[in-house]
Amino acid sequence: MRWSSCLMLAALVACSSSADADKDDAPSTTSETDAPADTDPGDEDTDTDSDKDTDEDVEPAEFSAPDEVAGVPNIDDDNQNNRSDWRDGWKPNFEDDYAEMVITPRPLGFLTGVEGIRLELMGNVQQLRIWQEGDADTPVLGGGTNEVVLPYSEEPLVLYAEFKDFLTSGILTVSEVNADGEPFLTHDITLIAAPMLLNHHLQPADMVYAVEVGASWWGPGNDNFIDGLSDALGPNHFTPVNGNQYGQDVWMQDEFEFANVTGAQGEAITVVIDSIRDRGLDDFSENALEGADVAGVTFGSGWGSSQDSFGNLETSPPLTAGGISYPFGRTYYGSVQGNYGMHPQMEQALDDQLAQAPFQLDTRFLCVGHIDEVTSFIPDPTAPRGFRFVMADIDEGIAVLESMDPNTSLPMYQGGQSHGISDVDEMLNDAALLALNEELRDDWLEPMLETFIQELELTEDEILRLPSYFEVAPQCGGATASLIPGMVNLQVADVADGSDPHIFLADPFMRSNTNNQAGDAFIDAVTDLFPEALQLHFIDDFSTYHLALGEVHCGTNVVRAPDPSPWWDVARDLLGLPVIKKGN
Amino acid sequence: MRSIGLTALLLWSLPALAGDWRADLQVAVAAMDADLIAEVEAQTPIRTRAGFLRVIGPGWEDPALQPWYLEQVLDDDVDPAWQAAFAEQLARQLVDEPSSPWHEAWVELASTHPEARVREVLITGLRHAPLALVEVGMVPALRHEHAPTRRMAALEIGMSNEASLASEVRPLLDDADAGVRGNAARTLGIFKDAGAVDGLIGLLNDENGEVRLHALRAVHRIDASRAGELAPALVHDSEARVARLANKIITGG
């Protein structure tokens, strides 16, 4: 017999009830109110094997209900009425984002005086609703009603929990009561909605998007870029977006960040975090993505700095660091410390999700200021943790330059329209340019790498140093951008079709023959550096992206399949979900 | 375009820049192909990832558009963001031309244009220009009343590798603006200007960490052994990058 006593604490649920994460569909027994109570909040017993053995000695369930329900916030628009389903306020038949709870009362309860089933809701009651099967108009709980007594029936009581927001939590207390409302048996159900989990590069790619802009006399097109993606991925995994509809805004990465929420009963919603950047692509998510099982959310409002673009918001693969397991990776983003960063509400929203423990890097040395300009992750099955961290590296850039014939002409870099550099010798022997790059290395990139090493416990073996070289970019107040197209600004697309993951990188064009990548020393260096089990595609982003201060990652975005790991199990500690408490 | 010899110095000498470019501009614009003007006026620059405008594409590279660009840059009714894009394109074209009637306009406007962002791109465009243009365009900008313009000039003189201009930069080590002091220190270090060492050492006590960083590095670039003597006092500097550099100097890293 157990007595469950639950308290809602400010941060999350702090509940002493039994709440095995994997028992959502495995009803447990209730507790008799006159049973000995374990109400000691300092009891830190955890769910050990021996405890589980003890569980098996508990009397068979007479009144069964789940201990915990892990659902999803009902933020999508299943009925396609251009309003989030939570805001609709009723339960449409086709709703698929409710979490079911089956409560089976004791048989013949009326013989012992049971008259009703009382439901009490505690916690974020303004963000929770409890629906009863067959009742499509009003919830039995929520909307100001936090307690209700339903007539007793031996038939299973089928309820549904609806959550308004990420990590909305509460306790549903279910009691068999007599005619005076006095409880015979009580059971607490922990209700918890999923955190918003940002995607990382190891998740399979469902669809890659890029904006297509036609070449004209007055503007560079990106035919080669689109063809490179299309040829590799095919129509099932690549969608070009008509730039004419979106103001020729090619920065697909910057307008959205894709995330996922999942529930224990198979619920899944793709989350599109729509940046307050609000340039040409602002309406794309609403027009082309959002609807049933795809929800748009925005954090903050008003003017967005460059740091509010989501090339500046990335997530590592799953890892353990500092003795803490991060099963969904860690989120990181660039900021200009002491000046400005992401919108405070965006930063707060990331912090609030708890599971991906965000950290910041100082990116003020970059004109655009996005963390994806200098760092990335790629999958590698041969790596200790299944990934490699990729970082822009000046010394490697210099080494590759020094390995080249200094007389190698660089047609793509020549002329005022480009970088005004004729050949390798001119690039390498520009003392001021070299000095600038040494400063970037010493003052910014090395400290940044040290932060990554510290925060993610990266080992030297996990780090791939990509040859890179920077310049002071015009119109940037002295800040910098890639001189050689930034290959680190890459896109990963593992389309899970049995082939090796695709890696799309900027063609560096460090060669005389721009039409032939063979013999390009920078391509060769990166090819040698990267794992063999990857399909590398060096695609032409020079005019449309590179000269406009972006590269491949900036110009693409990927909808990824949710990480199937059960957050309600593997991220319990990070989320502050209750540990198992044991009574007698 | 980077190196400059006697011939180039003669080509780019100050007297050659003394024409009445404003009068020439009116004539040149009047002579432009009306269809070309109509076509270019229908275009929109692209927006870079950073958000500012830039003109990229073969049409924009037409040298015949230079008078039109200059006219736009001078037109108060044109959005400064567009002016900056046109100024950048104009500078990108002019830097490749050994002579142009608009060089004088370029170097003059680099320090006189009312819009800071236009001055900035014109100064940046001078980075790859010959010494005479760098001198005429950037030195007045070093004295500009607007600190960001002085900062940009101090930085870009360094990026031009024109060490003969070091004496013009040295006074900025005492500038009221920390960004100017820092960029001046940085540039003098790149120039390996021995005459600046005392001033740079004085900046090691600057209240601004960025200034101390650039000063220490500059001393190191000019006189590594002197920097080695000074570095121990900075290994616990409140600015992490200064402490880091000091340690690196000491360890020879």
Side-chain angles (χ1 to χ4, degrees), chain A residues 107-267:
Chain A
L108 305 176
F110 58 87
L111 294 177
T112 57
V114 177
E115 294 284 334
I117 303 295
R118 185 169 65 207
L119 306 176
E120 297 172 273
L121 190 59
M122 296 182 294
N124 304 137
V125 294
Q126 299 303 316
Q127 299 188 2
L128 279 165
R129 295 185 187 123
I130 305 298
W131 301 87
Q132 185 176 3
E133 187 178 45
D135 183 355
D137 295 328
T138 55
V140 292
L141 291 176
T145 302
N146 298 330
E147 180 178 336
V148 68
V149 178
L150 303 176
Y152 171 79
S153 167
E154 292 185 341
E155 295 299 312
L157 176 61
V158 181
L159 301 175
Y160 300 93
E162 183 185 17
F163 303 90
K164 179 184 180 182
D165 205 351
F166 308 109
L167 287 173
T168 290
S169 62
I171 300 293
L172 178 64
T173 300
V174 185
S175 306
E176 287 184 353
V177 297
N178 65 16
D180 296 328
E182 296 171 343
F184 290 99
L185 293 169
T186 295
H187 183 85
D188 290 338
I189 305 171
T190 299
L191 309 175
I192 179 78
M196 178 178 68
L197 296 172
L198 276 60
N199 294 338
H200 56 76
H201 280 179
L202 268 56
Q203 291 172 235
D206 288 338
M207 185 60 71
V208 176
Y209 293 94
V211 173
E212 184 172 26
V213 290
S216 74
W217 189 242
W218 298 99
N222 63 353
D223 292 350
N224 292 340
F225 187 84
I226 295 296
D227 289 348
L229 293 164
S230 180
D231 291 349
L233 297 170
N236 292 333
H237 296 289
F238 174 64
T239 300
V241 175
N242 186 344
N244 292 328
Q245 295 179 23
Y246 296 103
Q248 312 297 327
D249 181 3
V250 297
W251 309 112
M252 181 60 86
Q253 179 65 215
D254 289 342
E255 192 62 43
F256 334 97
E257 183 74 12
F258 289 107
N260 283 286
V261 289
T262 57
Q265 297 170 15
E267 314 97 303

Side-chain angles (χ1 to χ4, degrees), chain A residues 421-442:
Chain A
I421 294 174
S422 300
D423 54 31
V424 169
D425 181 66
E426 187 175 347
M427 187 182 294
L428 189 57
N429 291 315
D430 182 330
L433 188 61
L434 176 63
L436 171 79
N437 277 275
E438 290 172 343
E439 292 162 20
L440 295 184
R441 176 195 63 200
D442 293 349

